[in-house]
Amino acid sequence: MIVRNSDWTWVYCTTENAAAIESPDGLRGYPHNKVAKRIDNGTKHDLEVFFKYAITGEAPHGTTARVTKPSWWQRLRSRA
């Protein structure tokens, strides 16, 4: 659903040996791992929150998701 409803794409992460989704900014998420955590650990691994974060880029209140910003030199270079 994330790939279908956003500009994220499927990639294969060789370091994790797993399928992942990647944003145009290079952020990666592992939806299959998130589903497995939901099955094993229950409701503290909320799939809806994971989906909303991937689509909107906003970390929902009360979650451990964090928005990462490019380094200062990457931001400076993007202005040139």
Side-chain angles (χ1 to χ4, degrees):
M1 287 180 58
I2 293 169
V3 171
R4 186 180 317 142
N5 294 297
S6 69
D7 51 0
W8 291 57
T9 56
W10 283 106
V11 296
Y12 184 77
C13 180
T14 56
T15 57
E16 298 292 326
N17 291 326
I21 53 173
E22 188 170 87
S23 76
D25 299 330
L27 295 175
R28 281 202 177 161
Y30 300 88
H32 296 106
N33 295 353
K34 187 65 175 175
V35 170
K37 288 178 183 178
R38 170 67 179 201
I39 292 168
D40 291 341
N41 301 323
T43 59
K44 72 179 184 176
H45 290 279
D46 192 342
L47 298 175
E48 182 180 1
V49 169
F50 183 77
F51 175 77
K52 286 181 180 178
Y53 176 67
I55 297 298
T56 66
E58 297 176 13
H61 178 71
T63 68
T64 59
R66 298 290 174 254
V67 176
T68 58
K69 294 182 180 178
S71 65
W72 65 270
W73 59 268
Q74 288 172 321
R75 291 192 307 269
L76 183 62
R77 188 180 343 153
S78 70
R79 294 182 200 162

